[in-house]
Amino acid sequence: MQILLLESTSVSRHGTSNVCVESSAMAVTVQECLELQLLEVEMLLSMFPKKGEINLDEDAVPSLQRYLRNTDGALPPQLEYSVAIGVGEAKVKVELQVLLPHMYPQVAPQLFARSDALHRQQQLQLNTRLASHISSLDSGELRICEAVQWVKENSLPYLENSKVSSESTSKEIVVKETLHRMWIYSHHIYRQELRKKIFDCAKKLNLTGFCLTGKPGVICAEGLRENCEEFWRAIRYPNWKHISCKHVENIEMEGSIDNLRLFRAFEDLQFQAHGDYGLRNDYHMDLGQFLEFLKQHQSGHIFQILFGVEGKPADK
């Protein structure tokens, strides 16, 4: 839809401005432009009569009308409004935001089409084409009705591409995570400050597993790989000599690794000890009980990896 300025106005049909430098001539030209802006708004209101289809400040039109009744006063604010355009069978809404310079339609309007259904790239492409189309029209033409019609007829491909892109992205978002489980052996674990460091690190890094205190000492840490490796670096250095990582398990899955954890927390594991409690170096753990604990957590096979022998169940 193209509505042209009457030839009696001071703006030419082919974009050549007859605006004089004198303020009186300029005032007449502004007045004619604002009259045409009001005319176009009235047309749009008749095209979009439902509430919410056109969002227009309630004082926007009256302020233009007051100025047109008395052009000696200050210019009114630039006319600004938005049109909600239904696109496609689903009537997805594309909002055309409009800002009109006082000299529109002699100068180009500022237009921007947006929709929650469009990704940023599709929205950019749509507005680039809209701007190109509007700039191809002759200066002096009322262009908002034309822009509305263009958006209605040309937005659908961008909306469909956005939907395909969204579905493709949602499929790609399925993230695979790897549960890392480290089995660590030490000649012994006694010192309170060392035990505190182990538990503090495990909590900080969201690791589950256990620390078996005594002689021998065993640590299991499970969680994200980078967290397990940071835990290993933290507890190993600077001077823990009698410690080694005997075995590592990696299990990959889609989604959260929490379903793969064998332990719900990081446990402080202690069993009945053999030997003299007063002699720290005789503080041996009951490995039969430890074997039962491992079996309860689907890890009985780890016993031989840690100690080099097959485990025997604890005496009943």
Side-chain angles (χ1 to χ4, degrees), residues 4-185:
L4 305 182
L5 281 171
L6 298 177
E7 300 215 351
S8 60
T9 68
S10 61
V11 180
S12 74
R13 172 66 179 81
H14 299 290
T16 303
S17 174
N18 294 326
V19 179
C20 298
V21 176
E22 289 80 8
S23 60
S24 59
M26 176 65 76
V28 171
T29 305
V30 170
Q31 181 180 350
E32 290 172 348
C33 289
L34 294 181
E35 286 174 348
L36 287 165
Q37 291 181 26
L38 283 177
L39 173 64
E40 190 170 39
V41 167
E42 290 174 4
M43 293 175 57
L44 287 167
L45 288 170
S46 67
M47 293 167 58
F48 297 90
K50 294 180 182 178
K51 184 178 180 180
E53 288 185 317
I54 294 186
N55 184 10
L56 177 68
D57 186 85
E58 62 181 15
D59 192 49
V61 170
S63 66
L64 261 67
Q65 292 171 335
R66 286 193 296 270
Y67 174 77
L68 291 172
R69 287 195 297 266
N70 179 19
T71 57
D72 293 334
L75 282 171
Q78 292 182 343
L79 190 58
E80 185 174 5
Y81 55 90
S82 64
V83 185
I85 306 164
V87 177
E89 294 181 3
K91 295 299 179 185
V92 176
K93 293 296 182 185
V94 176
E95 181 183 72
L96 180 65
Q97 298 173 342
V98 179
L99 177 62
L100 302 181
H102 291 121
M103 288 299 295
Y104 168 81
Q106 174 58 28
V107 300
Q110 295 181 30
L111 304 175
F112 185 77
R114 64 168 303 279
S115 172
D116 292 338
L118 287 171
H119 293 310
R120 180 182 297 178
Q121 189 62 30
Q122 276 88 19
Q123 195 160 271
L124 176 62
Q125 292 170 352
L126 175 64
N127 279 285
T128 299
R129 280 201 58 203
L130 171 61
S132 175
H133 174 69
I134 295 303
S135 67
S136 70
L137 304 177
D138 288 342
S139 174
E141 295 181 3
L142 290 174
R143 282 161 273 188
I144 307 307
C145 291
E146 173 68 23
V148 167
Q149 190 63 29
W150 188 93
V151 169
K152 189 177 183 66
E153 294 175 354
N154 292 274
S155 295
L156 191 58
Y158 296 95
L159 293 165
E160 290 174 344
N161 289 342
S162 181
K163 182 180 179 182
V164 169
S165 174
S166 178
E167 291 174 350
S168 175
T169 301
S170 65
K171 290 178 183 177
E172 293 172 1
I173 281 177
V174 179
V175 176
K176 289 188 176 181
E177 288 190 346
T178 300
L179 177 84
H180 199 69
R181 187 180 297 119
M182 303 179 73
W183 296 93
I184 299 167
Y185 175 89

Side-chain angles (χ1 to χ4, degrees), residues 211-249:
C211 175
L212 175 64
T213 303
K215 181 181 179 180
V218 178
I219 302 169
C220 174
E222 58 178 5
L224 292 174
R225 178 170 186 162
E226 56 268 28
N227 290 354
C228 288
E229 291 177 347
E230 184 176 341
F231 172 80
W232 175 233
R233 286 193 298 269
I235 66 169
R236 183 179 178 186
Y237 295 106
N239 54 11
W240 194 349
K241 297 178 181 178
H242 303 292
I243 184 173
S244 61
C245 182
K246 291 278 191 176
H247 186 60
V248 172
E249 297 171 277

